[in-house]
Amino acid sequence: MGSGAWSTDVYRAASAYRKATGASAFAYSDGGARTVHPTLDPGGVAARESRDSTEHPQSLAVAVLFDVTGSMGGVPRTLQQKLPQLLGLLLRKGYVTDPQILFGAIGDATCDRVPLQIGQFESDNRMDDHLGNIVLEGGGGGQMMESYELAMYFMARHTSIDCHQRRGKRGYLFVIGDEMAYPKVKAREVRKIIGDDLDEDVPLRAIVDEVRRRWDTYYLMPAGSHYAGNRRILDFWRDLLGQNAVELDDLDAVCETIATTVALGEEACDLDTALADLRDVGAGDAATTVSRALARIGADRSPAVRGTLPAASGHADQVTRL
Amino acid sequence: MTVTDAITLVMTARHPTEVFGTDQATRRYHQLARLLHPDTAGAAAPDRRATAAFLQLTELWRRHLADGRDTVTIDTGRYRYVVDRTARYTGDLADLYRHGDDRLVKVPRDPANNDLIAREATALARLAERGDARYLPYVPRVVDEFRHRDTGTGAVRQVTVLGTAAGLRSLAEVRRAYPDGVDARDAAWMWRRLLVALGFAHRAGLVHGAVLPDHVLIEPDQHGVVLVDWCYASIDATPVPALVPAYADWYPDEIRRRRSPGPGTDLAMAARCLDWLTGGRAPEPMRRFTAGCQLAALRQRPDDAWRLLAEFDDLLERLYGRRRFRPFTIPDPNHR
């Protein structure tokens, strides 16, 4: 996992091929598929892994999961067009040296056929294939809830990332959606979709707590979705994630927003520099969107103290994670 | 090394390095200080050469520290922490380094446990905010917290600076000093104070989640108790995130099953501490009392530490009559 190098040319070639053949970006879904693509099936997966390698010694895990239910309208398709640029953007800006990106999709486990789709961490064009294989639900339960909690459960218990295990850096998890989560991770759904034998439901707050141990978690609520601007939903996420619940008023700037959030987290730059970067490359509109979205995030993030600590005692850690 | 060797070494040295070396200087210093301290060396060297050497040693150590050879400076921009290069305490997952006499800088050995360090700071902040201020001495005080990025490895660690008092000993140390078990009357005050710490925490919406002998510190002279290591705390009934494997069978079922813990979780573990501390020497009614706190199902256990304290006081009065202060000392295992 996570090996290989990005080639912009290959991506362009694939994109050009799609244009030429008229195939949709969501080729798998539009081909009539109504079951999860084997590469995206969370069932029976021990862990999706992001690993250091000689090629990528400083791997940093970035996961982007988006709601693909009907309430999102045209958003999933726009995301599909925009997200392939995320890796290139992170690399070009020099914010991160070895990003490994995972894409996934969230549906509604109470009524959808494909409530959870999770790709692999990739550092090359394969992530684009995963995006292409995502099935679009288009349905949705109509109760302002989707199974975000199930996706968080997967990220909490079925991912293994070197950036955290080796360097104590949390990965970045972006959930893009426009509804609330269900109040509990249901044991029955976990059994059916992921395959773990839980003996009781897990409260939403507990799973959010758990996922945030390893993932710096953000909720992006884009314009153009059904419930955009709904205070109740934003308040719901602010209550869970605080300032990490962000409104995104222009979907075209989704990659810039994600990249800038990562850059701020990695202390690769401050918000002003990132915005200046965006304006320099002629993305002035994106800069405005990003600045509006991230003003709260940049504000109180204190930078890490740099230096050397005294040597560790060498005692083995006596901790068993539950 | 004999006392005479130590005296010669210290009195002829012209530079701290000749005495402390370049590696493990703190250990070397402690070793020499033990040998030359008037309390220990007095009998062996009645001519007071040892005392003179001890003063010289202290001076050399002061110079050594001033050289900065055995300390590391962490500059947070707001404050400079000059900490010993070697850890003063080693916890389950963190090393604690001394800064001055009353500060400990707590650093996770593995950055993967940053969340647990952060969890402790959050829990202690919650106690300071919502808890009854009268009971704050029962828990550590967070003086500062920051993230630290190692310039060499890029590892990011969450660091907490804690205030500390002198003379604290863990129940694990107490039990080692009393291999046959502690007298139930001495264990009783430790348990009463522990119940206060727990009542204080539970009222603020916290469950400690790891009430174990290593995490309960006592101050023998003043009969003080400090409940430390809040890295595993449950805040607003979230599951306890991890357990200490050496004590795996001390944990009630709800923790092992990742279920929501409650005050009864801590009370069961505290009761187990009391059983363990007295080593089965406690009178029968006290053993029945602790058994009643350790029933398998959380809802069968007591859920209010303050009420349990009142019950326990009743029991103590029936067993021992009116409360009297019993001095408690911990024999030093090195002096036996």
Side-chain angles (χ1 to χ4, degrees), chain A residues 157 164 167-168 199-200 206 209-210 213 267 302 304-308 310-313 315 317-318 320-322, chain B residues 72 75 92 95 97 109 111-115 119 147-151 156 240-243 245 257-259:
Chain A
R157 301 204 184 165
H164 185 257
R167 290 182 296 283
D199 63 358
E200 67 169 8
D209 188 40
E210 206 175 313
R213 286 183 208 163
E267 295 170 23
S302 64
V305 173
R306 286 161 200 269
T308 319
S313 66
H315 279 248
D317 283 346
Q318 298 293 314
T320 304
R321 292 285 180 156
L322 289 166
Chain B
V72 176
D75 191 346
D92 304 324
D95 291 329
Y97 301 89
R109 286 188 289 271
N113 290 323
N114 281 348
D115 65 301
R119 177 179 285 263
R147 286 182 306 133
H148 182 280
R149 187 191 298 263
D150 189 286
T151 29
V156 176
V240 170
L243 49 80
R257 286 168 170 268
R258 290 208 259 210
R259 296 196 168 168

Side-chain angles (χ1 to χ4, degrees), chain A residues 65 105-106 116 118 147-156 211:
Chain A
L65 307 182
I106 298 165
L116 185 61
I118 304 273
S147 300
Y148 301 110
E149 74 293 341
L150 191 66
M152 289 189 176
Y153 173 90
F154 185 93
M155 296 307 289
V211 82

Side-chain angles (χ1 to χ4, degrees), chain B residues 311-328:
Chain B
E311 276 180 43
F312 189 61
D313 279 346
D314 272 353
L315 173 74
L316 290 176
E317 199 168 306
R318 269 182 282 138
L319 280 172
Y320 302 114
R322 214 166 51 82
R323 274 216 305 279
R324 278 185 309 272
F325 187 87
R326 269 172 63 88
F328 182 73

Side-chain angles (χ1 to χ4, degrees), chain A residues 113-130:
Chain A
R113 276 163 298 221
V114 192
L116 185 61
Q117 306 174 67
I118 304 273
Q120 303 274 10
F121 291 98
E122 307 286 6
S123 43
D124 61 20
N125 306 42
R126 277 171 292 187
M127 72 179 73
D128 190 34
D129 297 339
H130 296 319

Side-chain angles (χ1 to χ4, degrees), chain A residues 8-305:
Chain A
T8 315
D9 289 345
V10 179
Y11 173 67
R12 283 211 193 98
S15 169
Y17 170 78
R18 261 192 242 111
K19 246 177 232 157
T21 58
S24 152
F26 285 106
Y28 179 71
S29 181
D30 292 352
R34 284 297 175 265
T35 54
V36 63
H37 191 275
T39 56
L40 299 168
D41 188 354
V45 169
R48 295 290 199 226
E49 299 173 326
S50 161
R51 296 284 177 235
D52 292 349
S53 63
T54 40
E55 212 176 335
H56 301 290
Q58 297 273 319
S59 69
L60 182 74
V62 178
V64 183
L65 307 182
F66 54 100
D67 184 341
V68 290
T69 60
S71 68
M72 291 284 278
V75 167
R77 268 170 210 280
T78 312
L79 287 174
Q80 196 280 338
Q81 286 159 16
K82 292 285 169 192
L83 285 174
Q85 294 167 18
L86 177 59
L87 182 72
L89 186 62
L90 284 169
L91 292 174
R92 288 200 307 276
K93 297 281 183 196
Y95 293 155
V96 186
T97 48
D98 303 312
Q100 299 191 342
I101 302 180
L102 170 148
F103 290 122
I106 298 165
D108 187 336
T110 60
C111 56
D112 288 343
R113 276 163 298 221
V114 192
L116 185 61
Q117 306 174 67
I118 304 273
Q120 303 274 10
F121 291 98
E122 307 286 6
S123 43
D124 61 20
N125 306 42
R126 277 171 292 187
M127 72 179 73
D128 190 34
D129 297 339
H130 296 319
L131 271 177
N133 287 332
I134 285 174
V135 173
L136 291 184
E137 282 289 351
Q143 50 205 340
M144 294 213 293
M145 286 189 207
E146 308 291 357
S147 300
Y148 301 110
E149 74 293 341
L150 191 66
M152 289 189 176
Y153 173 90
F154 185 93
M155 296 307 289
R157 301 204 184 165
H158 291 273
T159 56
S160 178
I161 57 177
D162 273 354
C163 55
H164 185 257
Q165 271 165 287
R166 295 193 175 185
R167 290 182 296 283
K169 273 188 196 172
R170 292 188 296 171
Y172 292 86
L173 169 60
F174 295 89
V175 176
I176 307 175
D178 68 340
E179 303 198 42
M180 293 180 282
Y182 286 97
K184 282 180 173 184
V185 182
K186 296 183 203 76
R188 186 172 39 81
E189 291 173 4
V190 169
R191 208 173 301 130
K192 186 171 144 211
I193 296 156
I194 299 171
D196 294 353
D197 202 9
L198 286 190
D199 63 358
E200 67 169 8
D201 297 347
V202 183
L204 175 64
R205 205 170 275 280
I207 206 66
V208 168
D209 188 40
E210 206 175 313
V211 82
R212 294 181 88 184
R213 286 183 208 163
R214 274 189 288 142
W215 293 94
D216 199 0
T217 306
Y218 296 86
Y219 190 86
L220 304 184
M221 188 163 166
S225 60
H226 190 66
Y227 294 114
N230 185 321
R231 292 309 305 181
R232 192 174 145 211
I233 290 172
L234 199 60
D235 288 347
F236 172 88
W237 288 103
R238 290 244 157 100
D239 181 44
L240 283 172
L241 299 174
Q243 60 184 1
N244 285 10
V246 171
E247 258 181 315
L248 187 57
D249 62 8
D250 180 1
L251 200 57
D252 286 345
V254 66
C255 282
E256 286 82 358
T257 304
I258 290 175
T260 308
T261 306
V262 172
L264 294 174
E266 291 302 291
E267 295 170 23
C269 65
D270 57 29
L271 187 55
D272 290 341
T273 315
L275 296 177
D277 278 2
L278 288 175
R279 289 192 193 95
D280 283 353
V281 297
D285 293 350
T288 310
T289 298
V290 171
S291 123
R292 207 170 295 151
L294 299 186
R296 293 157 65 99
I297 288 178
D300 72 335
R301 188 190 285 283
S302 64
V305 173

Side-chain angles (χ1 to χ4, degrees), chain B residues 218-238:
Chain B
I218 63 157
E219 202 286 304
D221 298 339
Q222 303 287 318
H223 285 192
V225 163
V226 183
L227 183 57
V228 301
D229 203 344
W230 293 79
C231 293
Y232 310 98
S234 160
I235 302 168
D236 295 329
T238 51

